[in-house]
Amino acid sequence: MRLGPRLPRAFFARPSTEVAPELLGRFLVRRLPDGTRLRGRLVEVEAYGPNDPASHAFGGPTPRNLVMFGPPGRLYVYFTYGMHFCANVVTGRDGEGSAVLLRAIEPLEGLESMAAHRNRSEPLLFCSGPGRLTQALAIGRAENGADLVRGSEVFLTAGEPIRRRVVARTTRVGVGTGPGARPRWRYLERGNAFVSPGRPSAPGPATGSRRS
DNA sequence: CGTTGGATTGGCT
DNA sequence: GCCAATCCAACGC
């Protein structure tokens, strides 16, 4: 299967809520130091914008979130809960501080390596969740700040963009109940089994009863 | 310098 | 459904 051309810088230089749904169906490609290529198709993402109380960027730059305030098209990786990494794509204008969290991919290539990284044999448990995804693809501190447009360790290609009809929106997972819980900035491919089991922050008419 | 809690996951009741 | 795991960034004093 063709990877398609790489997504250009201009693709990322837009608001995160615009970029996020268009990332679905794209290929996330990871080249390991030993040459192994891992690849999956994005099926679930979340947008984090400027002035977003749920965003790490809320409150301004810190050593941890600095990459978010850099140029778009780079990878922002952070460590959380003492054991998991989460990976984001930086979006918007340089200095803006917005990003899209990569929550799940459908594994397409390098499944054996993913299984080893995850210590699981069930593909549904490889990359269905932000912490699982980074573990399966061996993405960690070293990949923080990686340039997705020009680098070779991690990048995104055109892949198979999906029709907007197939994109479902819900509130975000794990953002609590405060401000920031309401906007429906989690985008997923309707009916895809590899979407994470994470529950939206504010279940309601917009989320629970929607057909998949 | 001490405290708090996290854009999660997996195992157990 | 509940909760422990396990580190460390952010923040307050």
Side-chain angles (χ1 to χ4, degrees), chain A residues 169-182:
Chain A
R169 298 171 51 176
T170 78
T171 52
R172 294 173 290 182
V173 176
V175 300
T177 53
R182 298 182 327 284

Side-chain angles (χ1 to χ4, degrees), chain A residues 2-5 25-27 157-161:
Chain A
R2 259 186 88 68
L3 294 184
R26 312 296 189 162
F27 292 156
T157 74
E160 311 165 326

Side-chain angles (χ1 to χ4, degrees), chain A residues 54-72:
Chain A
S55 172
H56 287 173
F58 191 72
T62 67
R64 176 174 71 156
N65 66 21
L66 200 56
V67 171
M68 274 186 90
F69 287 92

Side-chain angles (χ1 to χ4, degrees), chain A residues 121-143:
Chain A
S121 55
E122 169 53 62
L124 285 169
L125 297 178
F126 288 174
C127 308
S128 299
R132 292 169 172 178
L133 183 156
T134 54
Q135 188 181 25
L137 299 190
I139 290 172
R141 287 180 214 291
E143 286 69 42

Side-chain angles (χ1 to χ4, degrees), chain A residues 35-97:
Chain A
T36 308
R37 194 170 74 182
L38 310 180
R39 178 169 58 96
R41 190 174 158 275
L42 281 165
V43 296
E44 179 187 355
V45 298
E46 279 178 0
Y48 287 83
N51 307 317
D52 175 1
S55 172
H56 287 173
F58 191 72
T62 67
R64 176 174 71 156
N65 66 21
L66 200 56
V67 171
M68 274 186 90
F69 287 92
R74 299 208 302 191
L75 198 69
Y76 165 50
V77 180
Y78 68 88
F79 183 65
T80 191
Y81 287 104
M83 59 189 87
H84 303 295
F85 291 98
C86 292
N88 302 254
V89 172
V90 176
T91 58
R93 300 183 311 278
D94 191 340
E96 176 177 293

